[in-house]
Amino acid sequence: MSSIRKGGFRFFVYSNDHDPPHVDVRKGKGKMKIYLSVGTGMPKMGPRNRFFNDADARRAFELCCEAHGEMVALWEKVHGKKQSE
């Protein structure tokens, strides 16, 4: 597992995780998933649990978009480089 901390959130990539490329985000009891764009597309919000409110979900997504290159690099560090989609 590798992680990045930003704005009170932790963005995780697990070595035993699955495609498509994504980060798992946590803050307190809140959990959500953000799917990364490997090509030229935009990241997409994934599922979240009931402890992740709308404001936190939006902020986590904004932080992920701002640091998208860093998030993709983290995924590639753990899983290897993906082909552009």
Side-chain angles (χ1 to χ4, degrees), residues 13-18 74-81:
V13 172
Y14 296 98
S15 60
N16 63 345
D17 222 336
H18 54 83
L74 184 64
W75 176 271
E76 291 176 347
K77 175 184 163 192
V78 174
H79 294 280
K81 189 166 176 81

Side-chain angles (χ1 to χ4, degrees), residues 1-75:
M1 169 185 65
S2 294
S3 68
I4 298 171
R5 287 183 182 267
K6 292 203 176 286
F9 297 88
R10 285 191 71 183
F11 298 83
F12 295 91
V13 172
Y14 296 98
S15 60
N16 63 345
D17 222 336
H18 54 83
D19 280 334
H22 65 278
V23 290
D24 291 283
V25 186
R26 291 189 180 194
K27 182 178 180 186
K29 291 183 179 181
K31 297 180 200 177
M32 73 176 289
K33 198 170 287 218
I34 299 174
Y35 296 100
L36 303 172
S37 169
V38 178
T40 57
M42 292 295 296
K44 293 181 175 70
M45 274 198 228
R48 63 182 178 187
N49 71 10
R50 64 188 176 108
F51 300 109
F52 223 104
N53 64 39
D54 290 345
D56 282 343
R58 279 191 304 275
R59 185 62 186 140
F61 185 72
E62 289 169 359
L63 290 167
C64 185
C65 288
E66 289 169 8
H68 187 256
E70 190 177 356
M71 302 292 173
V72 170
L74 184 64
W75 176 271

